[in-house]
């Protein structure tokens, strides 16, 4: 049977017009023996095709036993339109293009061949900028053993001259001839027969055999128009102007065995040879055996090392002796970890966290396995196991053949130190960040497709401004178009809208994951190609999170969290001024006054509960314990809100509604949340216990519930879920209500393990705000940008809590905001130079290093710190010279005298820096309103009165239309 050996997918960005998954599904419908996804210098799309192959095989195997079959995973495209008995085999491949414009499709025959191909692509991409690959013929001849190579003949406007092509071809044959063939493919231009006869002569001259391919860029003919649009976007011209670069027809598509026999009737040997080569290329991505870094140190096995570190941590966490329950939990977890051989994973995470601790970088673990006794003892998390309610087997279990998940949040200002440590510790050949595939969504699709189709910019602006979300285009038909002044019957607009819908979900380019690291025992570049990221000193792989999940590859998320920077800085300030050392695990727990403050919605700046929605909910929730905070974090999310979980929970919590549990089995799952599912883990347990899902099916449900899942569609499981619930004795109304709540997680459902870790930071930040409001405000300001609120709001809130806030001063301020004695036994918050918009940290460092016992004038700073007049003007405009007795205008007047290296003759100064021989200048004093305006211009905040306070009388009711008093706000606020 024929096998297609050189299909180009849409992971050859803006060229291929079909998803890798679509090729596999179409190949199944056509009955092909195999299909090779061979993108240009890339294997980014092969895992998606591999996943669909496995799914089709599973459906074929299950169809005889169960005609309905288990629910299809939400991230898998629809299966073939008709049941198939033949499962096409995927051949992972790549189409390599060299600088000499030679093209070869490389088909690995074994795991070793895949490793060689992966290293070769890595070599080309690491010597080029992101998105490019630079390969030379010499790179290919160095070694592509265990691979079959299909040499493309010279066709197209970008092909090298025939003589050069023959020279390069002979060079390749000399080194790789035993593994090489010449590819024969149609161009559908009426000249194929004569061209193929010429290629047969070329093959004989090179000693190569011919192999037939349709060389498709489409899985179906219907994608031809979209292929032209992609070409127009890639080349930056309109579809109308494509000329010969447009597809002449829709023939460059995936072909059946019969089609290929008809096309190549005179070259049937080439058709048969494609099947023979496919049969020889038996490599499958299932052979990629990912190995954790062994983490063997000082002669200890991973199991011995993990046990030693865990028990040492247990003694450290419980100096008076650990409770028996905790010891038993640790023993149980270590046995299960050892049985599944996950010790290296936990040790890898521990080493990363240990490095952060050695550098004083605050971190906190979260994720499916992070809230375990093992991670608590290792210091990965500070959430006490007595507080957590999760069962370890839910995340590390024999039923789920995949590694556990631990994410670690680090201070957002210092995460790069941790990332670079991982590269240094394991080497760039063993560590790399995951990719993130950037897909076409509504607005981007409108703009790029619209330009390619020739729409005007004002039309594009009108269209994109009215579209929201991934599915918005399909809803913006006749009525919506008329609303924005467009003619829905215009033929060009109709075609454009069709193309916009067609391109939705297409990959646009690869970006880097926010922090997902792949770390391997052997060479990472033999597992997957590595390439440069846009950011300096970052390297990434070409597979995204879904891809590595599908292959069971370990990922450690190294994430950034601004609140950790804030909390660490607050702890440092407490240690400096109060001589008390705190960390996340040693904060005094369960302080009722902290919960009182949160119940009053006094949470500005507090992690996760500072939004208006959270503030509105806090007085209704009235948290009194840590687990209340866990619920508070998870409940105000789109998932629980859309699933109508919030109001039932509050009614039950307040005693307004009876807590009813459908069964004892589900009562164990839902009891702690009063019978209302709030967490992803509960949704999985309801499916397993209530609907009879297998662990594998429940894991698919979990994946479909994944946060911000671009393909998530929980409704795929509805029939299976309802049938299972009814079979187990639950009534239909309850089953539908449960599924409706679970379906809400499809938008955004929060895992309990993550909520527990976040709840600890909620409590820590709330505790700091209550007990040390000045220090908390100072740390917040020094950690900007982060959170919901601007510095002006943070400062106003701090002053309302009794904090004395002092202005920026050239003699007292530093770059960061600081705490200083307030003269009454307390601390005052001194604003730092970072609050001045136009100030640079380097200039602030020069200013503070040269300050000594203080400055007396702008001239003094100019002379001693070497700062130019422009920097001094910035300080003057921020009123930083006020403590020297100089208001803004006086300081600016003095700075005008500073020019070059020497003062101007008119402004001669004595040895003390005082101006001599200059008449006294009486500058008009600035009004309060003018000072307030200048404060906001320079720093976006003011320590003076609120601007509206100056207009209060004018705004008060019953006083009539009185003119605004002279406030100095000027024409900005003068009445008309």
């Amino acid at each position: 049977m024929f096998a297609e050996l050189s299909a180009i997918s849409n992971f050859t960005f803006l060229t291929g017009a079909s998803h890798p998954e679509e090729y596999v599904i179409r190949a199944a419908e056509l009955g092909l023996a195999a299909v090779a996804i061979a993108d240009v210098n890339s294997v980014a799309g092969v895992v998606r095709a591999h996943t669909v192959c496995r799914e089709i095989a599973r459906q074929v195997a299950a169809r005889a036993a169960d005609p309905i079959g288990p629910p299809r995973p939400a991230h898998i495209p629809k299966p073939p339109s008709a049941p198939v008995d033949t499962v096409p085999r995927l051949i992972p491949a790549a189409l390599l293009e060299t600088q000499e414009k030679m093209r070869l499709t490389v088909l690995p025959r074994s795991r070793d061949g895949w490793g060689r191909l992966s290293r070769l692509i890595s070599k080309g991409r690491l010597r080029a900028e992101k998105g490019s690959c630079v390969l030379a013929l010499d790179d290919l001849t160095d070694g592509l053993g265990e691979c079959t190579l299909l040499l493309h003949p010279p066709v197209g406007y970008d092909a090298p001259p025939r003589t050069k092509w023959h020279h390069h071809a002979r060079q390749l044959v000399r080194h790789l001839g035993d593994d090489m063939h010449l590819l024969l493919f149609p161009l559908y231009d009426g000249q194929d027969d004569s061209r193929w006869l010429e290629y047969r002569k070329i093959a004989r001259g090179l000693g190569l055999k011919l192999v037939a391919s349709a060389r498709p860029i489409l899985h179906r003919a219907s994608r031809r128009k979209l292929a032209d649009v992609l070409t127009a976007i890639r080349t930056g011209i309109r579809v109308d102007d494509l000329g010969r670069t447009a597809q002449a027809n829709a023939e460059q598509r995936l072909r059946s065995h019969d089609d290929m026999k008809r096309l190549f009737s005179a070259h049937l040997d080439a058709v048969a040879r494609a099947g023979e080569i496919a049969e020889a290329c038996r490599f499958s991505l299932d052979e990629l055996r990912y190995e954790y870094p062994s983490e063997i140190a000082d002669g200890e096995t991973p199991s011995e090392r993990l046990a030693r570190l865990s028990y040492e941590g247990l003694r450290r966490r419980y100096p008076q002796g650990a409770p028996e329950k905790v010891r038993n939990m640790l023993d149980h977890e270590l046995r299960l970890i050892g049985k599944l051989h996950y010790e290296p994973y936990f040790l890898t995470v521990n080493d990363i966290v240990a490095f952060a601790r050695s550098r004083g970088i605050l971190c906190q673990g979260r994720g499916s396995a992070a809230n375990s006794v093992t991670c608590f003892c290792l210091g990965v998390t500070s959430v006490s196991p007595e507080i957590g309610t999760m069962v370890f087997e839910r995340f590390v279990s024999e039923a789920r053949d995949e590694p556990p998940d631990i994410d670690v949040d680090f201070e957002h200002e210092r995460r790069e130190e941790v990332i670079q440590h991982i590269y240094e510790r394991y080497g760039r050949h063993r560590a790399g960040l995951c990719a993130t595939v950037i897909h076409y969504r509504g607005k981007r699709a409108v703009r790029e497709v619209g330009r390619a189709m020739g729409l005007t910019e004002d039309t594009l602006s009108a269209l994109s401004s009215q579209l929201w979300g991934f599915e918005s285009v399909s809803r913006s038909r006749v009525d919506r178009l008329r609303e924005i002044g467009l003619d829905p019957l215009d033929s060009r607009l109709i075609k454009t809208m069709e193309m916009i819908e067609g391109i939705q979900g297409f990959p646009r380019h690869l970006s880097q994951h926010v922090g997902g690291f792949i770390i391997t025992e052997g060479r990472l570049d033999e597992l997957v190609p590595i390439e440069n990221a846009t950011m300096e000193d970052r390297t990434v792989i070409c597979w995204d999170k879904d891809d590595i999940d599908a292959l069971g590859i370990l990922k450690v998320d190294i994430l950034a969290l601004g609140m950790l920077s804030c909390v660490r800085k607050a702890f440092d300030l407490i240690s400096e001024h109060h001589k008390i050392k705190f960390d996340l695990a040693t904060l005094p727990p369960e302080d009722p006054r902290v919960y009182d403050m949160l119940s009053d919605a006094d949470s500005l700046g507090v992690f996760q509960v500072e939004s208006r929605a959270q503030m509105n909910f806090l007085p209704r929730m009235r948290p009194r314990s840590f687990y209340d905070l866990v619920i508070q974090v998870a409940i105000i999310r789109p998932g629980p809100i859309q699933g109508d979980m919030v109001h039932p929970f509050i009614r039950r919590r307040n005693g307004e509604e009876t807590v009813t549990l459908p069964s004892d089995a589900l009562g164990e799952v839902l009891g702690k949340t009063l019978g209302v599912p709030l967490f992803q883990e509960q949704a999985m347990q309801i499916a397993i216990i209530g609907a009879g899902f297998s662990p594998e099916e429940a894991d698919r449900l979990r994946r479909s519930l994944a946060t911000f899942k671009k393909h998530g569609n929980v409704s795929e499981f509805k029939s299976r879920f309802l049938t299972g619930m009814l079979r187990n004795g639950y009534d239909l109304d309850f089953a539908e209500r449960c599924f409706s709540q679970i379906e809400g997680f499809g938008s955004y459902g929060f895992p309990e393990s993550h909520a527990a870790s976040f709840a600890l930071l909620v409590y820590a930040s709330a505790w700091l705000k209550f007990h040390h409001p000045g220090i908390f405000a100072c740390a917040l300001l020094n950690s900007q940008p982060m959170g919901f609120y601007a510095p002006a709001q943070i400062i106003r809130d701090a002053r309302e809590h009794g904090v004395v806030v002092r202005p920026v001063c050239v003699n007292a301020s530093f770059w960061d905001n600081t705490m200083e004695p307030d003269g009454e036994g307390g601390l005052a918050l001194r604003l730092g130079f970072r609050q001045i918009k136009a100030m640079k940290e380097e200039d602030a460092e020069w200013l503070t290093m040269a300050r000594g016992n203080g400055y007396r004038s702008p001239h003094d700073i100019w002379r001693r710190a070497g700062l130019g007049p422009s920097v001094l003007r910035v300080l003057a405009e921020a009123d930083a010279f006020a403590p020297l007795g100089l208001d803004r205008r006086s300081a600016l007047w003095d700075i005008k005298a500073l020019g070059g290296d020497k003062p101007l003759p008119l402004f001669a100064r004595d040895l003390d820096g005082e101006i001599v021989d200059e008449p006294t200048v009486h500058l008009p004093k600035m009004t309060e309103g003018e000072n307030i305006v200048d404060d906001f211009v320079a720093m976006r905040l003011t320590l003076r009165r609120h601007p509206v306070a100056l207009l209060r009388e004018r705004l008060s009711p019953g006083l009539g239309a009185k003119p605004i008093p002279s406030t100095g706000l000027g024409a900005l606020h003068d009445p008309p």
Side-chain angles (χ1 to χ4, degrees):
M1 292 295 293
F2 172 71
E4 178 52 63
L5 300 181
S6 192
I8 293 178
S9 80
N10 53 14
F11 277 84
T12 300
F13 301 116
L14 301 179
T15 298
S18 294
H19 294 280
E21 305 96 314
E22 293 174 325
Y23 275 120
V24 172
I25 293 170
R26 183 60 177 159
E29 294 171 346
L30 296 175
L32 296 185
V35 60
I37 304 299
D39 287 308
V40 177
N41 296 329
S42 173
V43 293
V46 297
V47 179
R48 300 185 177 209
H50 174 71
T51 305
V52 176
C53 275
R54 289 196 307 201
E55 177 61 19
I56 295 175
R58 187 184 66 82
Q59 290 177 356
V60 170
R63 188 173 294 118
D66 184 359
I68 298 176
R72 175 172 58 85
H75 60 288
I76 302 296
K78 290 183 178 180
S81 55
V84 297
D85 297 322
T86 302
V87 181
R89 193 162 46 81
L90 173 71
I91 302 176
L95 172 55
L96 301 185
E97 288 187 347
T98 71
Q99 290 178 301
E100 296 83 1
K101 297 184 179 180
M102 301 294 286
R103 296 162 63 92
L104 294 98
T105 297
V106 181
L107 308 166
R109 296 194 297 270
S110 65
R111 174 65 180 87
D112 180 61
W114 171 264
R116 291 170 182 265
L117 173 61
S118 180
R119 287 188 67 172
L120 182 60
I121 295 174
S122 299
K123 185 176 183 180
R125 289 193 171 274
L126 288 174
R127 63 165 61 128
E129 295 181 352
K130 176 186 177 294
S132 300
C133 184
V134 178
L135 288 172
L137 281 181
D138 291 342
D139 297 322
L140 274 62
T141 56
D142 283 346
L144 269 175
E146 291 297 308
C147 293
T148 297
L149 291 86
L150 309 180
L151 178 63
H152 292 235
V155 295
Y157 67 92
D158 59 341
R162 290 298 178 94
T163 53
K164 281 190 176 182
W165 186 90
H166 280 281
H167 172 72
H168 296 321
R170 284 192 292 270
Q171 182 180 348
L172 288 170
V173 170
R174 189 162 53 248
H175 292 87
L176 307 168
D178 293 341
D179 296 318
M180 285 184 63
H181 300 76
L182 187 69
L183 199 66
L184 207 62
F185 53 86
L187 295 182
Y188 311 104
D189 59 355
Q191 306 298 318
D192 283 335
D193 288 338
S194 59
R195 187 183 297 111
W196 291 339
L197 290 174
E198 179 188 355
Y199 292 162
R200 187 172 285 277
K201 293 178 182 178
I202 293 175
R204 280 199 297 267
L206 294 173
L208 302 179
K209 295 180 180 179
L210 294 173
V211 177
S213 167
R215 206 173 67 161
I217 62 170
L218 324 166
H219 77 294
R220 287 183 182 274
S222 57
R223 288 288 174 83
R224 175 211 165 181
K225 293 180 181 178
L226 187 56
D228 287 342
V229 170
L230 292 171
T231 302
I233 295 173
R234 185 181 75 248
T235 56
I237 59 179
R238 293 174 48 176
V239 171
D240 296 343
D241 302 325
L242 281 178
R244 292 189 176 184
T245 58
Q247 294 294 310
N249 46 52
E251 299 301 309
Q252 199 172 347
R253 63 182 186 271
L254 194 63
R255 297 282 186 167
S256 68
H257 178 77
D258 291 339
D259 277 351
M260 293 299 288
K261 286 176 63 178
R262 176 178 52 81
L263 280 171
F264 292 89
S265 58
H267 306 277
L268 294 179
D269 58 325
V271 176
R273 194 165 291 114
E276 294 169 4
I277 290 174
E279 188 62 29
C281 296
R282 305 302 299 182
F283 168 71
S284 167
L285 293 181
D286 288 329
E287 296 179 40
L288 296 181
R289 291 290 178 260
Y290 172 73
E291 295 180 356
Y292 306 123
S294 61
E295 301 296 350
I296 297 174
D298 301 325
E300 286 182 305
T301 66
S303 180
E304 293 169 344
R305 185 179 171 212
L306 180 63
R308 175 177 61 80
L309 293 174
S310 297
Y311 286 113
E312 288 175 0
L314 187 68
R315 290 190 291 271
R316 187 171 56 253
R317 292 291 197 186
Y318 298 95
Q320 306 302 321
E324 183 178 358
K325 177 183 176 182
V326 174
R327 290 198 304 271
N328 292 337
M329 290 169 65
L330 179 59
D331 292 340
H332 172 69
E333 290 178 7
L334 289 176
R335 281 196 300 272
L336 186 56
I337 291 170
K339 188 173 183 179
L340 299 174
H341 307 294
Y342 287 155
E343 299 98 334
Y345 178 89
F346 285 86
L347 290 171
T348 299
V349 176
N350 175 70
D351 283 352
I352 295 170
V353 170
F355 167 79
R357 286 198 301 265
S358 71
R359 294 290 184 92
I361 302 172
L362 193 62
C363 59
Q364 168 70 0
R366 56 185 169 94
S368 62
N371 294 91
S372 59
V373 181
T374 305
C375 286
F376 181 67
C377 293
L378 294 175
V380 174
T381 181
S382 296
V383 177
S384 172
E386 295 102 323
I387 295 172
T389 61
M390 286 70 71
V391 179
F392 194 61
E393 280 85 351
R394 293 191 194 173
F395 317 115
V396 179
S397 110
E398 297 176 75
R400 287 176 56 198
D401 184 21
E402 63 178 43
D405 176 34
I406 298 179
D407 303 342
V408 188
D409 294 308
F410 297 89
E411 299 175 36
H412 73 304
E413 295 176 345
R414 303 186 65 187
R415 181 180 67 140
E416 191 62 26
E417 296 177 42
V418 180
I419 288 176
Q420 293 306 320
H421 162 73
I422 294 174
Y423 282 129
E424 293 170 9
R425 164 84 165 77
Y426 297 97
R428 292 183 183 271
H429 65 291
R430 294 176 57 201
L433 286 163
C434 286
T436 294
V437 182
I438 305 302
H439 296 85
Y440 274 106
R441 307 280 180 185
K443 291 182 182 295
R444 183 173 203 151
V446 168
R447 294 220 170 253
E448 294 201 5
V449 174
R451 289 193 184 99
M453 293 294 291
L455 298 187
T456 61
E457 287 298 320
D458 57 339
T459 302
L460 294 177
S461 297
L463 270 177
S464 61
S465 66
Q466 295 298 316
L467 298 177
W468 301 275
F470 187 71
E471 300 295 337
S472 57
V473 176
S474 61
R475 296 195 297 269
S476 60
R477 279 307 185 189
V478 178
D479 292 340
R480 173 71 75 176
L481 293 174
R482 284 202 176 103
E483 285 175 9
I484 59 178
L486 300 177
D487 180 7
L489 302 180
D490 179 82
S491 59
R492 183 173 291 271
L493 186 58
I494 291 173
K495 291 178 181 177
T496 302
M497 297 302 291
E498 290 175 357
M499 294 300 101
I500 291 172
E501 288 185 17
I503 206 173
Q504 294 287 339
F506 262 53
R508 178 60 174 82
H509 60 271
L510 294 182
S511 182
Q512 67 177 30
H513 190 271
V514 292
F517 253 103
I518 307 299
I519 306 171
T520 61
E521 173 71 6
R523 294 189 66 99
L524 176 62
D525 58 2
E526 291 185 350
L527 183 75
V528 54
I530 302 173
E531 60 184 89
N532 292 317
T534 303
M535 186 178 294
E536 188 177 358
D537 293 329
R538 295 272 189 96
T539 50
V540 300
I541 66 172
C542 66
W543 291 339
D544 70 2
K545 177 182 179 297
D546 292 337
D547 296 334
I548 64 169
D549 281 349
L551 297 177
I553 295 176
L554 169 144
K555 172 174 67 70
V556 179
D557 278 326
I558 307 300
L559 306 174
L561 200 59
M563 182 51 66
L564 284 172
S565 298
C566 172
V567 170
R568 196 266 304 165
K569 291 176 181 180
F571 286 163
D572 289 348
L573 288 170
I574 292 173
S575 176
E576 177 185 350
H577 294 284
H578 298 292
K579 311 304 179 187
I580 303 173
K581 290 188 176 295
F582 284 115
D583 60 33
L584 290 173
T586 59
L587 282 176
E590 303 296 73
D591 188 331
R593 295 171 296 174
V594 173
Y595 290 119
D596 289 339
M597 180 188 75
L598 291 175
S599 297
D600 293 335
D602 184 6
S603 60
L604 189 146
V606 177
F607 182 63
Q608 287 287 308
V609 295
E610 62 178 338
S611 69
R612 288 300 174 191
Q614 292 278 9
M615 284 183 173
N616 289 335
F617 189 72
L618 279 168
R620 301 172 61 195
M621 179 73 182
R622 300 198 66 80
R624 305 308 306 167
S625 67
F626 179 82
Y627 198 74
D628 287 346
L629 295 182
V630 177
I631 294 174
Q632 176 76 35
V633 167
I635 198 169
I636 304 300
R637 306 281 170 180
I641 292 172
Q642 293 174 15
D644 192 27
M645 306 172 194
V646 179
H647 296 296
F649 176 82
I650 285 297
R651 286 196 299 268
R652 295 183 180 195
R653 180 180 172 85
N654 295 338
E656 301 169 8
E657 180 179 303
T658 304
V659 177
T660 57
L661 299 172
S663 66
D664 292 340
L666 285 183
E668 294 180 6
V669 176
L670 301 175
K672 60 192 175 184
T673 55
L674 307 181
V676 179
L678 297 178
F679 304 110
Q680 280 189 8
E681 295 90 342
Q682 289 177 310
M684 292 171 61
Q685 290 297 301
I686 291 173
I688 292 173
I689 295 173
F693 275 46
S694 67
E696 181 187 6
E697 292 169 349
D699 196 49
R700 293 200 195 109
L701 175 61
R702 177 185 66 84
R703 293 178 187 278
S704 74
L705 296 177
T707 302
F708 299 126
K709 189 77 172 183
K710 56 184 173 294
H711 299 301
N713 186 0
V714 187
S715 61
E716 298 281 348
F717 295 83
K718 186 170 185 176
S719 175
R720 173 75 174 83
F721 182 89
L722 295 180
T723 301
M725 292 288 282
L726 293 174
R727 186 186 303 123
N728 289 334
Y730 300 98
D731 61 64
L732 180 61
D733 180 65
F734 172 75
E736 288 183 337
R737 191 165 66 252
C738 270
F739 189 81
S740 175
Q741 291 175 324
I742 292 174
E743 197 170 22
F745 287 103
S747 170
Y748 188 1
F750 216 67
E752 185 180 16
S753 53
H754 288 260
S757 294
F758 279 177
L760 181 64
L761 295 180
V762 174
Y763 181 81
S765 54
W767 188 92
L768 289 168
K769 181 180 175 71
F770 179 82
H771 290 281
H772 302 280
I775 285 176
F776 181 65
C778 182
L780 267 179
L781 292 170
N782 288 339
S783 302
Q784 294 297 309
M786 59 166 285
F788 283 76
Y789 298 98
Q793 295 166 295
I794 295 170
I795 290 171
R796 185 172 69 250
D797 180 71
R799 296 174 83 177
E800 291 173 356
H801 286 77
V803 177
V804 176
V805 184
R806 293 175 175 171
V808 177
C809 171
V810 292
N811 282 332
S813 292
F814 295 85
W815 171 251
D816 279 334
N817 303 278
T818 56
M819 303 302 293
E820 62 186 30
D822 63 359
E824 299 179 0
L827 294 173
L829 170 57
R830 171 70 70 178
L831 297 183
F833 295 118
R834 67 159 54 233
Q835 301 306 141
I836 303 174
K837 287 194 300 183
M839 193 72 178
K840 296 179 181 178
E841 185 174 2
E842 181 183 3
D843 293 332
E845 291 295 331
W846 281 108
L847 177 66
T848 54
M849 285 190 295
R851 186 157 57 196
N853 292 325
Y855 299 111
R856 293 180 297 172
S857 66
H859 178 271
D860 201 14
I861 298 175
W862 178 58
R863 180 172 56 86
R864 289 162 54 187
L867 299 181
S870 61
V871 179
L872 297 178
R873 280 195 296 272
V874 168
L875 291 167
E877 288 164 357
D879 208 15
F881 292 103
L884 306 186
L886 292 173
D887 62 12
R888 280 187 168 94
R889 284 178 178 164
S890 299
L892 287 169
W893 177 263
D894 283 357
I895 292 167
K896 289 290 185 181
L898 305 175
D901 295 331
K902 296 181 179 180
L904 297 174
L906 180 61
F907 301 107
R909 295 175 180 270
D910 59 23
L911 295 177
D912 293 326
E914 300 297 329
I915 298 177
V916 296
D917 298 330
E918 182 185 2
T920 302
V921 176
H922 298 284
L923 300 172
K925 187 176 181 180
M926 294 180 69
T927 65
E928 182 183 13
E930 289 174 325
N931 274 313
I932 290 173
V933 169
D934 282 358
D935 283 345
F936 276 102
V937 169
M939 298 185 293
R940 298 191 184 94
L941 61 89
T942 184
L943 299 182
R944 297 175 171 87
R945 288 195 293 168
H946 193 283
V948 177
L950 305 180
L951 311 177
R952 187 72 63 196
E953 182 181 353
R954 177 73 174 83
L955 300 176
S956 298
L959 296 180
K962 296 177 61 177
I964 298 177
S966 177
T967 62
L969 292 177
L972 291 175
H973 296 282
D974 285 343

